[in-house]
DNA sequence: CATGCCCATCGTCAGGTGTA
DNA sequence: TACACCTGACGATGGGCATG
């Protein structure tokens, strides 16, 4: 059985969409919603501890597709999406440094300016390999290196989040179409059963 | 027109998962 | 085991719509 215990209650109003319901529908899982009352009681931190992970959408869908011929596989990348040219990556270099609980970061004070349109597997290599740790000397250089690494990490994660959301949408669409197919199938089987009943049952008149 | 509500989307963080 | 990747959660933002 699937990961159906995941997120039965703690639905984020927007991002946490209804895919869980679809999963239940497809798998015909008996719902145990006694925990619905506890919504809002458990804080976010505890929530994360409770929630169990499930496989990635790509994995799930690919497994689905191997089981069911009609189910499409999630593609690795759609670089031609929206018709925008790939491999455009511009980043503003932050100037000021601030301290957070997780480390020393920098900021410009306004929103970071970036425009990225590159496949996740083809990140700007020039940026990645720009400086090796051995070539750093002054604290300023170290700070710049840390900043550069952080910006790179954020950029990668931004793209990863986009891709993840795209996959999730695709996954939900797939589930929806699967629900439709199964409903039709179910209807047909019920009709067939009724027909067979009529044929097999002896007339008593 | 101003305000409030709802929804979609985005960027980020944190932590789980996969793999070399 | 370190590292990269993936994804749930959260807050911010902006657009659309209804209402006063």
């Amino acid at each position: 059985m699937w990961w159906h215990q995941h997120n039965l209650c703690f639905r984020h109003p927007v991002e946490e969409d209804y895919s869980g319901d679809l999963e239940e529908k497809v798998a015909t899982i008996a719902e145990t919603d006694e925990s619905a009352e506890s919504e809002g009681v458990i804080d976010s931190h505890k929530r994360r501890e409770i929630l169990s992970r499930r496989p990635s959408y790509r994995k799930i869908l690919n497994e689905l597709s191997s089981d069911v011929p009609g189910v499409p596989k999630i593609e690795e990348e759609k670089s031609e999406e929206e018709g925008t040219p790939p491999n455009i990556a511009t980043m503003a270099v932050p100037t000021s440094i601030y301290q957070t609980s997780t480390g020393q970061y920098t900021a410009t004070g306004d929103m970071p300016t970036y425009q990225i349109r590159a496949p996740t597997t083809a990140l700007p290599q020039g940026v990645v390999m720009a400086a090796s740790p051995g070539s750093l000397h002054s604290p300023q250089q170290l700070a710049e290196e840390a900043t550069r690494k952080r910006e790179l990490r954020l950029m990668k994660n931004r793209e990863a989040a986009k891709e993840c959301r795209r996959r999730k949408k695709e996954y939900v669409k797939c589930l929806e179409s699967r629900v439709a197919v199964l409903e039709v199938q179910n209807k047909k089987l019920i009709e067939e059963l009724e027909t067979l009943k009529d044929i097999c049952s002896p007339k008593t008149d």
Side-chain angles (χ1 to χ4, degrees):
Chain A
M1 200 55 73
W2 285 6
W3 50 90
H4 61 276
Q5 285 183 321
H6 174 86
N7 269 359
L8 273 182
C9 329
F10 310 110
R11 295 279 165 77
H12 187 274
V14 176
E15 199 89 38
E16 187 66 25
D17 61 29
Y18 54 91
S19 59
D21 296 338
L22 271 172
E23 287 155 5
E24 282 183 35
K25 201 169 182 181
V26 170
T28 61
I29 295 162
E31 189 168 1
T32 58
D33 59 355
E34 84 281 354
S35 55
E37 305 141 11
S38 63
E39 186 171 2
V41 176
I42 305 173
D43 61 15
S44 62
H45 211 80
K46 225 168 184 178
R47 218 177 293 171
R48 291 185 182 190
E49 289 173 5
I50 291 170
L51 298 178
S52 60
R53 294 283 294 191
R54 64 178 174 192
S56 73
Y57 297 119
R58 183 180 301 174
K59 197 173 179 180
I60 294 166
L61 204 54
N62 288 346
E63 280 173 10
L64 253 182
S65 64
S66 63
D67 292 342
V68 184
V71 179
K73 291 200 175 208
I74 291 183
E75 296 164 25
E76 283 298 311
E77 185 63 39
K78 283 185 179 175
S79 61
E80 72 280 359
E81 207 175 42
E82 298 156 13
T84 48
N87 290 321
I88 298 171
T90 57
M91 279 167 53
V93 178
T95 52
S96 60
I97 299 173
Y98 63 93
Q99 195 83 23
T100 72
S101 59
T102 52
Q104 192 181 50
Y105 297 145
T106 63
T108 53
D110 48 11
M111 291 293 290
T113 56
Y114 41 69
Q115 184 186 11
I116 299 137
R117 181 60 53 179
T120 49
T121 52
L123 284 159
Q125 295 299 312
V127 177
V128 177
M129 301 300 176
S132 61
S135 65
L136 297 172
H137 303 296
S138 67
Q140 189 187 355
Q141 279 177 316
L142 286 171
E144 282 175 4
E145 173 68 5
T147 299
R148 189 188 61 79
K149 280 184 178 173
R150 172 177 159 77
E151 289 298 330
L152 184 64
R153 181 169 53 78
L154 290 180
M155 187 177 74
K156 278 186 176 181
N157 190 242
R158 202 178 301 133
E159 291 301 304
K162 282 180 190 171
E163 186 62 17
C164 179
R165 284 164 181 147
R166 186 188 67 77
R167 279 196 299 268
K168 188 171 184 176
K169 278 186 179 177
E170 201 169 330
Y171 170 64
V172 168
K173 271 187 196 170
C174 178
L175 283 183
E176 284 171 342
S177 62
R178 183 142 169 73
V179 165
V181 165
L182 288 175
E183 280 174 350
V184 168
Q185 226 169 34
N186 196 35
K187 199 178 171 185
K188 277 184 184 173
L189 286 171
I190 288 171
E191 285 172 3
E192 198 178 323
L193 179 63
E194 292 301 321
T195 307
L196 289 172
K197 272 186 188 173
D198 285 348
I199 292 171
C200 294
S201 64
K203 300 268 176 155
T204 55
D205 53 352

